[in-house]
Amino acid sequence: MTELRLIPNPGGHLSPDEVIGRDSLVETLWDTLEQQSVVLTAERRMGKTATMDKMMSAPPGHIRFVYCDLEQVHTAAEFADLIYRKVDAYMGAGKRFKEGLHRALEKFKGASLDGVGGITLDVASTPWKVLLDIVMAELARDHQPPFVFFWDELPLMIKSIADREGDEQAMEVLDALRAARQTYDTIRMVYTGSIGLHHALGRLKRVGYANDPTNDMSTIEVPPLSPPDAQLLARGLLAGAGISAEHHYKVAAAMAEATSGIPFFIHYVAKIMREKHKRVDANTVEEIIRAVLVDSGDPWHLSHYQSRIKTYYREKDQRIVLVLLDIFAAHERPLTFNEVFGLVKAQVRTEDAEHVREVLMLLRQDHYVVQEQDGTYRFRFGIIQRWWRLHRGLEVIG
Amino acid sequence: MSNSFVSKFTPSLMTPETLEALFVQRQALADQVLDDIRHSVKSKAKHYNLLIGPRGFGKTHFVAIIHNRILADEALKDKLLMAWLREEERGVSSFLELLMRVLLALARQYPDSGLEQQIQGLYDLSRKEGERAAAQLLIKFVGKRTLLLIIENLDSIFVGLKDVGQQALRAFLQEHPICTILATSTALFSGVSLQTSVFYGFFHIHHLDELSLDEAIGLLASIAQVKGDTELASFIHTPTGRARIRAVDHLAGGNHRVYVIFSEFLTRASLDELVTPFMRMLDDLTPYYQGRMDLLSAQQQQIVELLAHAGAPRTVKEIARRSFMTPQTAANQLKDLKEKGYLIGTTPQSDKRETYYELREPLMRLCFEVKEYRGGPIRLFVDFLRLWYSKDELARRLEIAPLTCGIERACLQRALEMLETDSEDPRVKACIADMEEYRGAKDYVHCLQIGEELTAIRGSKEDWTGYGVLADATGRREEALNAFDRAISLDQGWGDAKCLKGRVLVQLRRYKEALAVLDSVGQPVPEGLELTWSYARANALLSLGREEESLCAVDQAIDVFPADGYLRALRVRVLCCLGRKDEALQSYEKAAVLFHGDEAIAEQIAAFSLLGRKDEAAALLNAHSHLLEDARWARDMRIVRGSWLLDQGKHAAALAVFDEVIRNQGEDAGLLTCRAAALLALARLDEALKACKQVVASGDKKAAKVLAGIIVSTIPVLTQPSVDAALRHRWLVGWQELAEGHEQLQVTVLLLDVATRYLDTGDDRVLLELPVELREMVRSLLGFGEE
């Protein structure tokens, strides 16, 4: 077997064949997309974009797709326009599709829109909606196999539309997309982004948005790498970066464990080794991690785990969030809800268990906390727990 | 390579060879960045590197090196395109504008590609259409190749792009992974460091280090080589040269560009030659520093100007008060200025609550002050002079400066006064800090180098003495002696240097000189050196055969330092030499408790050997044979082993041990005596005689006494069949010559003479020339029975 050799590239664009440990996830995603759309969730640095790249590098033969990075989109009209142009460019060779699309657009310009695409359109609605629907309708008409839209940074776009055009408009975009999925059964969408969609939705819900625009979609998470995959990645990076060690396996195991299997961190450790260490052992990994955790420059951007609490959590939740995370960070063992609630009450004057449960749910959605099968809770990633403990000056409790 | 052009401000004007020759400190980083680019070409992976460093830190030099190396790489020729947005690119205010700059850079780099014409068509489109068309044109032009985007001053580009442009760029890179990026910035900026920015965590960031002193010397050596400037090449390795480089280091804070500028007049000796280029340099640098000021906010500019005029560090409170800011605002601005590399902060040990801020590069202050130059002993030039010249040099220049040159004399006078009154010479401070660091790392070679610099910068008696100590510690004893002599010449009564010189002379076995200098130390002996003085003096007395005096000196010292093991061990040696072995044994027992671990064992072995308990010494040494390899005791332990082997009749093995010690650790009279004994035992008389001559020549009386015994012990050797009459005679004549003028050897030579003649003739009347007791001794040695 040829030795795997990878170049450390933390933060950069990875070649799909260099994305390790995601084969079965990619297979699951494609299988799911045969049936329904997907919300792809992931903690930062988990390799969400790399996973999508890997998917798109080898799609099942019958599936077609386009990829859009939506962080450049700030209005609903821009969104529809981008979709139209992407599909138009993709279908460039499909003359029949193009002609149909243009016929539909011509028809719209003639102001007679009823019945286009098999649905009734409100003539008074904004043009972006019409354009979006025409594109979807034409795609559905022309292609029986699923057509997948990969929409990266969709929550950012929703937030941006809400900021510029108002919350109503953002809600309408989400509803229009859900309607398209309901209407055209060959259309599939993959929602993903660096911030959780639940945060964008939370804001809309607070101003009266009652729909659940993703309840027809399957939520799939990009998890950290399994220990064998994390070790495989680490070994590949050690070999590719020409890092010498007496026991590569031991060093790779230390890298995998100390980074909680998060691929970006594994790449980063390898990069530092390449830059600063001619020869390494398992202690080198610990040295690098220790230096990173106390580096005032915060090269792993771990302070984000604290700063984002102010951005995405309601003011009334923030105190509980910090207390909960302090509790989980300090405890090595998982805790029952009753234990957690008792510890919260020792610091915050509250008897509102439901509120604490609600916040706990948000923390789970944000990948801070995980619930074990026996119902207990713990900090999800050892490396983040370790940083939190250091950063907040917490003593370890057994 | 010589007389090549070295540009101070535009590295891209230099030839690739010159750029490579002047590239210091960052070879490994350049190799990594090149690996990343090659990987981006060979695979679908794309790397994004961002270099952070203040102006003048060699960022453009770095990217020019990468650019040239890629151009020279045939393997990349058809697979990689390069677009270099240089630091002059200004006015990039949108993603469209950025795309246009990239396309134009490509058109310049690849003039035959026809790209220029296609770009012209873009100007007829609307902004929105133009952006799409430009992106498509770029994607099409790059095709299956990879585009290396070299973007200087990415921070400025990002400011122009604003959020919308940055988002569009990020989306473009995400959707079309055709670019690998090498970017530079003078400081971290919100576009990459704010967690809400779209490029947060996108780049692999490399903070470029400032030049260390050694790296600066490397750079200057390269400049000298490139320019063919042999004077500069040799000057930078002199103590004065290093001191001047340290002055530049203080003025410029490790800034590469400033070193290039200073390289032009680093060797200038006279003030005349210095003034013009110095002022021109300030003129050259002023726009550069003003440019750096322009990058700051109004409040930050205010703080920098305040500190520039203050001329000394200031606390947050003072800065806030003088700038009419709240302490909180001032603290925030100071923190930012520190991160941007404009200021440094110092927290004194005596009050850790306060931080004192000052400009990181004093040269910046000098450049601001040059505008205020209106004759008179200007502070900036005085500052410069006191850093540039040593005290001696300044005094010399003042002496020869014509009386008509009023300003020059005033500047020199003031600089000299400042050097005398101001204990805070920054170069001295830097030297001492470096010295502490090297001392901590036990790197005495570098300590010595810095010690030498201190003698060049300040040259006080303390500096020379310190240098002497370091030279001694690194085994450069002659240099140490010279340094102590320099210190003594500055102060004839300087006991410290005398004590230390005495110690070194003892180590060099120059006992008479040692005793003379130690006896010249005035009483009381300088504090802290009493033990050094006592030990060295007692040692010298012992080696000069003045055992009783030595014992007296040791005993006096023991009264003062009763817990010093070395003094007590010396006492054991003195008593052994005096033949007072019982007392020596008692003294040893007192000494033994003062040592621990290996030291205790080594002392025990030495004492057993001196007390004649050689078997016990050898047994102990066998059990702790690692002492033979320990540099602290290897010499003594090996001699103990050799002596024991000699006693055991293993003469060849003993000789091998002695030879090895001489080879590795040098000879002395005692060791040569041992060697002579071994050679004699092996009947290698000619070599033995040579060794004996060396012993006698050393003037060591103790060794001469031992030799007397050796002469007698050779008599049985002369009876061996391998020793013929001719050899016997050579041996005798050799000894007779050797003993001439040495009273203590006369009797033994007489015995040898009688024994030789008896062996030659077999006539026992020859023996009757000796009194009965000596006659009996000779008979016994020749193997006869009693008379």
Side-chain angles (χ1 to χ4, degrees):
Chain A
M1 201 174 86
T2 325
E3 187 189 26
L4 182 65
R5 299 174 77 84
L6 304 167
I7 301 289
N9 189 6
H13 185 92
L14 297 184
S15 179
D17 57 332
E18 294 180 350
V19 177
I20 304 298
R22 298 302 189 201
D23 292 342
S24 97
L25 176 65
V26 165
E27 202 177 315
T28 304
L29 283 162
W30 280 126
D31 285 350
T32 308
L33 285 167
E34 292 282 356
Q35 308 301 325
Q36 64 182 135
S37 293
V38 167
V39 177
L40 187 63
T41 69
E43 187 41 72
R44 295 160 58 79
R45 305 304 188 185
M46 212 54 79
K48 166 180 51 65
T49 306
T51 302
M52 281 201 294
D53 283 343
K54 195 169 181 76
M55 280 179 83
M56 291 185 285
S57 71
H62 62 292
I63 287 187
R64 296 180 176 204
F65 65 87
V66 290
Y67 169 85
C68 305
D69 187 318
L70 300 179
E71 65 198 304
Q72 58 188 322
V73 176
H74 307 288
T75 65
E78 279 177 15
F79 177 55
D81 182 57
L82 179 69
I83 303 304
Y84 163 67
R85 279 189 295 102
K86 281 278 177 181
V87 172
D88 188 38
Y90 181 79
M91 295 296 183
K95 204 175 171 190
R96 203 161 63 83
F97 169 81
K98 240 180 160 177
E99 282 169 3
L101 196 61
H102 284 273
R103 258 199 318 276
L105 282 169
E106 284 299 314
K107 203 173 171 185
F108 167 68
K109 280 177 186 167
S112 172
L113 292 165
D114 286 357
V116 170
I119 59 162
T120 304
L121 291 172
D122 179 7
V123 180
S125 67
T126 49
W128 67 265
K129 237 186 219 180
V130 178
L131 183 58
L132 192 65
D133 189 66
I134 289 170
V135 173
M136 297 295 173
E138 283 305 315
L139 272 176
R141 183 182 296 168
D142 208 50
H143 291 282
Q144 284 309 307
F147 191 97
V148 183
F149 287 98
F150 284 93
W151 282 329
D152 202 355
E153 301 298 359
L154 180 119
L156 268 183
M157 179 189 77
I158 296 297
K159 192 173 167 293
S160 196
I161 292 173
D163 287 345
R164 293 192 189 203
E165 299 186 309
D167 295 328
E168 287 282 326
Q169 184 82 318
M171 292 178 210
E172 280 192 42
V173 170
L174 287 167
D175 287 345
L177 294 178
R178 189 174 185 282
R181 291 196 300 273
Q182 300 292 322
T183 310
Y184 309 111
D185 61 1
T186 58
I187 297 295
R188 304 280 183 272
M189 298 171 192
V190 177
Y191 287 3
T192 188
S194 54
I195 61 167
L197 184 62
H198 58 284
H199 288 302
L201 292 178
R203 167 178 167 171
L204 300 181
K205 280 183 177 164
R206 283 194 285 281
V207 293
Y209 183 55
N211 295 350
D212 185 347
T214 59
N215 64 357
D216 61 322
M217 301 172 83
S218 172
T219 299
I220 297 178
E221 190 199 339
V222 181
L225 295 177
S226 67
D229 285 334
Q231 288 175 25
L232 179 67
L233 171 62
R235 282 202 305 278
L237 290 168
L238 291 173
I243 296 161
S244 87
E246 196 173 340
H247 303 291
H248 273 96
Y249 280 81
K250 280 187 187 168
V251 177
M255 287 166 77
E257 194 188 335
T259 57
S260 303
I262 299 175
F264 171 84
F265 296 161
I266 299 175
H267 271 268
Y268 187 95
V269 170
K271 182 116 186 164
I272 296 295
M273 284 176 172
R274 182 169 76 144
E275 284 171 4
K276 297 186 177 166
H277 300 268
K278 283 181 184 154
R279 194 167 170 78
V280 300
D281 56 26
N283 293 330
T284 318
V285 178
E286 178 54 23
E287 272 171 41
I288 293 171
I289 302 263
R290 210 180 301 139
V292 167
L293 293 182
V294 298
D295 188 333
S296 60
D298 191 15
W300 286 1
H301 316 119
L302 295 167
S303 57
H304 171 78
Y305 287 96
Q306 183 168 355
S307 64
R308 73 176 177 186
I309 291 167
K310 275 197 172 167
T311 316
Y312 298 123
Y313 287 79
R314 289 177 300 176
E315 212 172 322
K316 69 167 189 167
D317 295 341
Q318 288 173 10
R319 172 92 178 109
I320 299 287
V321 167
L322 292 178
V323 169
L324 281 171
L325 291 178
D326 284 354
I327 291 167
F328 290 124
H331 284 80
E332 289 286 12
R333 66 177 178 86
L335 301 168
T336 64
F337 179 77
N338 284 340
E339 284 176 316
V340 173
F341 190 50
L343 291 165
V344 169
K345 286 199 293 182
Q347 292 183 60
V348 181
R349 195 173 164 184
T350 180
E351 287 301 330
D352 190 351
E354 281 318 303
H355 180 211
V356 175
R357 280 202 174 90
E358 198 184 308
V359 174
L360 253 179
M361 177 55 81
L362 286 173
L363 289 176
R364 284 175 61 197
Q365 286 178 339
D366 275 334
H367 312 285
Y368 283 101
V369 173
V370 68
Q371 189 169 26
E372 301 281 18
Q373 286 186 349
D374 63 359
T376 54
Y377 298 89
R378 64 172 170 80
F379 222 106
R380 173 138 191 215
F381 300 111
I383 183 73
I384 314 295
Q385 180 180 19
R386 194 174 158 187
W387 175 83
W388 192 275
R389 215 183 268 160
L390 261 176
H391 181 66
R392 307 267 298 170
L394 305 172
E395 298 285 331
V396 180
I397 302 167
Chain B
M1 201 187 304
S2 68
N3 301 320
S4 298
F5 171 64
V6 175
S7 170
K8 288 170 252 175
F9 290 91
T10 318
S12 51
L13 294 179
M14 291 190 270
T15 64
E17 294 76 22
T18 305
L19 278 170
E20 288 286 352
L22 300 185
F23 193 53
V24 293
Q25 188 192 36
R26 293 171 188 152
Q27 289 290 359
L29 181 59
D31 290 344
Q32 279 173 28
V33 169
L34 275 171
D35 282 350
D36 286 351
I37 292 168
R38 291 196 179 104
H39 184 232
S40 300
V41 171
K42 284 182 197 157
S43 72
K44 289 181 180 170
K46 296 292 171 274
H47 293 259
Y48 312 108
N49 284 293
L50 173 61
L51 312 176
I52 307 281
R55 281 168 187 253
F57 259 51
K59 298 184 296 300
T60 305
H61 192 141
F62 188 97
V63 297
I65 287 275
I66 299 292
H67 178 262
N68 292 340
R69 288 189 191 176
I70 285 172
L71 277 183
D73 189 341
E74 283 295 319
L76 294 176
K77 206 167 188 177
D78 300 326
K79 296 174 186 158
L80 182 73
L81 296 167
M82 276 192 288
W84 185 350
L85 304 193
R86 295 173 193 269
E87 55 188 338
E88 298 80 24
E89 301 276 355
R90 294 186 203 283
V92 176
S93 58
S94 65
F95 180 52
L96 168 62
E97 190 56 40
L98 178 66
L99 286 170
M100 293 300 287
R101 298 295 175 99
V102 172
L103 286 167
L104 289 168
L106 282 169
R108 279 196 302 273
Q109 183 90 24
Y110 308 97
D112 302 328
S113 61
L115 186 60
E116 178 71 47
Q117 286 155 331
Q118 296 177 68
I119 293 170
Q120 293 307 318
L122 297 173
Y123 293 114
D124 300 328
L125 302 173
S126 70
R127 177 166 282 274
K128 202 167 181 183
E129 286 169 339
E131 187 176 302
R132 280 184 212 141
Q136 283 310 313
L137 178 57
L138 183 61
I139 293 163
K140 198 173 146 202
F141 184 73
V142 174
K144 290 189 173 170
R145 295 171 289 189
T146 294
L147 171 62
L148 168 60
L149 273 179
I150 299 177
I151 309 178
E152 291 190 80
N153 290 347
L154 186 71
D155 45 345
S156 305
I157 302 262
F158 267 38
V159 168
L161 284 176
K162 297 184 271 300
D163 283 352
V164 175
Q166 289 171 33
Q167 285 161 352
L169 172 61
R170 180 74 165 83
F172 177 82
L173 294 171
Q174 193 68 43
E175 288 185 18
H176 309 286
I178 54 172
C179 304
T180 177
I181 299 177
L182 172 59
T184 70
S185 168
T186 50
L188 278 174
F189 52 100
S190 58
V192 295
S193 60
L194 266 188
Q195 287 159 357
T196 49
S197 70
V198 291
F199 280 92
Y200 179 65
F202 181 82
F203 287 100
H204 191 72
I205 293 171
H206 307 273
H207 291 276
L208 298 181
D209 288 332
E210 50 201 40
L211 283 176
S212 69
L213 194 71
D214 288 338
E215 286 162 348
I217 290 170
L219 172 63
L220 290 165
S222 302
I223 292 173
Q225 197 192 358
V226 164
K227 289 180 165 179
D229 185 343
T230 49
E231 190 192 1
L232 177 62
S234 51
F235 180 70
I236 55 180
H237 293 295
T238 64
T240 308
R242 282 180 67 89
R244 282 195 185 165
I245 295 167
R246 206 177 272 283
V248 180
D249 181 55
H250 170 71
L251 289 167
N255 185 307
H256 292 57
R257 179 174 293 152
V258 173
Y259 277 110
V260 175
I261 293 170
F262 266 94
S263 69
E264 289 182 2
F265 56 92
L266 206 64
T267 55
R268 303 290 164 91
S270 80
L271 207 53
D272 282 349
E273 288 176 307
L274 190 57
V275 175
T276 310
F278 174 74
M279 298 312 271
R280 198 171 54 223
M281 177 199 71
L282 293 185
D283 227 23
D284 281 351
L285 283 173
T286 300
Y288 156 66
Y289 282 118
Q290 277 169 345
R292 288 190 64 183
M293 283 289 271
D294 291 343
L295 296 172
L296 301 177
S297 69
Q299 277 186 330
Q300 290 175 340
Q301 287 181 1
Q302 195 184 354
I303 292 173
V304 170
E305 284 203 353
L306 189 147
L307 288 173
H309 286 102
R314 293 280 183 263
T315 63
V316 180
K317 217 183 288 173
E318 288 172 293
I319 293 165
R321 193 170 70 83
R322 286 175 179 271
S323 315
F324 299 100
M325 293 178 199
T326 63
Q328 185 56 39
T329 308
N332 287 339
Q333 298 295 356
L334 287 165
K335 185 171 169 270
D336 195 36
L337 284 168
K338 197 177 156 194
E339 278 171 11
K340 285 176 174 164
Y342 285 74
L343 306 182
I344 51 169
T346 311
T347 307
Q349 285 296 320
S350 53
D351 184 2
K352 290 189 175 171
R353 290 167 305 175
E354 286 284 18
T355 301
Y356 287 76
Y357 289 93
E358 61 192 313
L359 293 187
R360 185 186 188 195
E361 296 167 46
L363 206 54
M364 192 172 192
R365 172 166 64 83
L366 302 192
C367 283
F368 293 149
E369 282 190 6
V370 77
K371 289 179 285 181
E372 294 158 18
Y373 170 53
R374 296 288 184 272
I378 49 169
R379 192 179 67 175
L380 73 98
F381 198 61
V382 170
D383 270 1
F384 178 70
L385 287 179
R386 83 185 171 105
L387 288 173
W388 202 246
Y389 291 124
S390 68
K391 204 160 84 178
D392 287 352
E393 278 177 301
L394 281 174
R396 244 187 347 263
R397 292 194 186 285
L398 186 60
E399 261 174 39
I400 58 171
L403 290 171
T404 49
C405 297
I407 291 176
E408 189 177 316
R409 288 188 65 85
C411 283
L412 287 165
Q413 184 72 51
R414 181 76 191 106
L416 203 52
E417 282 166 16
M418 280 178 77
L419 266 183
E420 271 162 8
T421 55
D422 185 3
S423 58
E424 281 290 300
D425 182 336
R427 292 171 305 166
V428 172
K429 215 168 130 188
C431 278
I432 290 167
D434 281 359
M435 177 96 81
E436 286 307 314
E437 200 181 318
Y438 286 128
R439 208 194 297 271
K442 294 191 164 51
D443 182 349
Y444 295 113
V445 175
H446 270 101
C447 281
L448 181 69
Q449 211 169 34
I450 295 169
E452 193 180 16
E453 266 176 68
L454 272 173
T455 63
I457 294 169
R458 190 170 55 182
S460 66
K461 64 184 179 188
E462 289 86 357
D463 293 332
W464 281 108
T465 307
Y467 176 55
V469 171
L470 288 164
D472 178 30
T474 46
R476 296 158 76 161
R477 294 198 170 122
E478 289 300 334
E479 240 172 275
L481 289 180
N482 286 337
F484 294 135
D485 284 342
R486 283 294 295 269
I488 295 165
S489 74
L490 292 170
D491 178 357
Q492 296 294 331
W494 181 234
D496 294 50
K498 289 182 180 176
C499 286
L500 294 162
K501 182 184 174 184
R503 186 181 66 175
V504 173
L505 286 169
V506 167
Q507 286 163 346
L508 288 169
R509 300 183 184 88
R510 289 159 59 176
Y511 302 114
K512 273 186 191 164
E513 291 168 75
L515 195 59
V517 76
L518 289 166
D519 282 344
S520 75
V521 174
Q523 296 295 328
V525 172
E527 201 180 333
L529 287 169
E530 298 92 337
L531 187 57
T532 302
W533 179 82
S534 304
Y535 188 81
R537 189 166 176 278
N539 225 323
L541 286 166
L542 173 64
S543 301
L544 290 169
R546 293 159 64 175
E547 290 93 348
E548 291 292 352
E549 288 171 82
S550 176
L551 184 63
C552 184
V554 170
D555 284 342
Q556 280 173 4
I558 286 173
D559 284 345
V560 184
F561 302 101
D564 187 79
Y566 294 104
L567 274 177
R568 291 196 180 268
L570 179 59
R571 188 168 194 273
V572 175
R573 287 221 304 278
V574 179
L575 288 167
C576 284
C577 289
L578 287 166
R580 291 154 63 175
K581 292 203 172 175
D582 290 344
E583 286 172 76
L585 190 61
Q586 284 170 7
S587 198
Y588 162 70
E589 280 161 7
K590 284 182 184 168
V593 297
L594 297 170
F595 294 105
H596 304 282
D598 280 351
E599 200 170 34
I601 295 162
E603 287 298 334
Q604 194 176 2
I605 292 168
F608 280 163
S609 184
L610 282 169
L611 291 165
R613 293 158 63 175
K614 291 193 177 176
D615 287 345
E616 287 167 81
L620 207 51
L621 189 52
N622 272 341
H624 300 277
S625 54
H626 64 279
L627 296 175
L628 291 163
E629 307 304 328
D630 190 317
R632 290 170 294 178
W633 303 293
R635 181 186 172 88
D636 289 348
M637 294 300 108
R638 281 165 193 250
I639 293 172
V640 167
R641 165 158 285 188
S643 304
W644 179 75
L645 286 169
L646 206 56
D647 282 1
Q648 296 298 305
K650 296 173 179 170
H651 306 129
L655 182 64
V657 170
F658 297 139
D659 279 344
E660 196 193 347
V661 176
I662 289 171
R663 208 164 39 245
N664 294 330
Q665 281 126 353
E667 59 191 27
D668 65 17
L671 190 53
L672 285 169
T673 309
C674 293
R675 184 170 182 271
L679 286 166
L680 277 172
L682 290 167
R684 289 160 61 176
L685 299 185
D686 288 335
E687 291 166 81
L689 188 60
K690 202 171 152 194
C692 291
K693 280 180 179 168
Q694 287 173 294
V695 175
V696 172
S698 76
D700 188 323
K701 287 187 180 170
K702 206 157 47 104
K705 263 190 208 168
V706 179
L707 269 186
I710 289 177
I711 298 171
V712 176
S713 70
T714 58
I715 291 174
V717 179
L718 301 180
T719 62
Q720 286 180 16
S722 60
V723 181
D724 61 15
L727 181 56
R728 269 202 302 272
H729 273 268
R730 277 210 307 282
W731 178 240
L732 174 64
V733 171
W735 271 111
Q736 282 168 338
E737 286 172 2
L738 198 62
E740 211 169 296
H742 293 278
E743 196 60 41
Q744 67 269 47
L745 296 179
Q746 295 309 316
V747 175
T748 41
V749 170
L750 176 63
L751 295 180
L752 184 63
D753 176 41
V754 168
T756 306
R757 277 189 285 127
Y758 172 75
L759 287 171
D760 284 347
T761 60
D763 184 350
D764 59 0
R765 282 176 299 179
V766 176
L767 300 174
L768 294 171
E769 293 175 21
L770 297 170
V772 64
E773 66 280 11
L774 293 180
R775 199 162 64 236
E776 281 308 314
M777 187 191 288
V778 172
R779 285 178 63 86
S780 159
L781 291 167
L782 290 172
F784 300 155
E786 281 187 22
E787 221 171 5

